[in-house]
Amino acid sequence: MLGLLLLYFVWKRFADLAKRFKKSRRKNGWLGILAYFGGGFTFVILISLLDVLLELNINWDNNTALNFIAIPFGIGGCYILYIFLEKKWNKEVQTTETIDNIGQSDIEA
């Protein structure tokens, strides 16, 4: 249940970011969810390699503990992608200064 709640909030944050920059909400929401799973997957691959190389003897039967440990890595992946997209889209915004739109912003804060 915690996983579904996290996925909803990840989708919501990326959809709101896309809405703020007038991009596709659905596509960017799914991109955020993929970033969450990508961060968790990266953690699992890294810990697996460390287990094999350093012979840590990790109990792979305890999936619940592994899932809870992977959550911060998933959130970290989302955070990195969120910051990347926000900076990229801020650079794309080009405003033309005319007498009619002085003081107005294309981006809703």
Side-chain angles (χ1 to χ4, degrees):
M1 190 65 173
L2 177 65
L4 292 176
L5 194 62
L6 282 171
L7 291 179
Y8 169 74
F9 284 114
V10 165
W11 182 87
K12 181 87 169 109
R13 285 292 285 179
F14 277 87
D16 289 344
L17 178 69
K19 181 180 178 184
R20 199 170 77 195
F21 288 99
K22 298 180 178 130
K23 304 283 184 181
S24 171
R25 291 183 69 197
R26 183 175 291 157
K27 181 179 77 171
N28 288 296
W30 284 109
L31 185 64
I33 290 174
L34 285 176
Y36 175 79
F37 283 120
F41 182 73
T42 302
F43 164 73
V44 170
I45 294 297
L46 180 68
I47 201 75
S48 300
L49 289 174
L50 288 175
D51 184 31
V52 170
L53 294 175
L54 302 176
E55 298 177 7
L56 299 174
N57 295 327
I58 295 174
N59 180 11
W60 292 103
D61 294 333
N62 191 359
N63 290 334
T64 305
L66 191 61
N67 286 339
F68 279 122
I69 295 171
I71 287 174
F73 289 89
I75 292 172
C78 289
Y79 180 75
I80 290 170
L81 181 64
Y82 187 90
I83 296 299
F84 172 76
L85 289 177
E86 191 173 38
K87 286 182 181 181
K88 180 182 175 204
W89 291 342
N90 272 331
K91 288 179 184 177
E92 289 178 359
V93 174
Q94 297 174 354
T95 58
T96 56
E97 292 281 333
T98 63
I99 197 72
D100 295 332
N101 66 2
I102 292 178
Q104 296 177 350
S105 175
D106 290 339
I107 302 171
E108 299 171 10

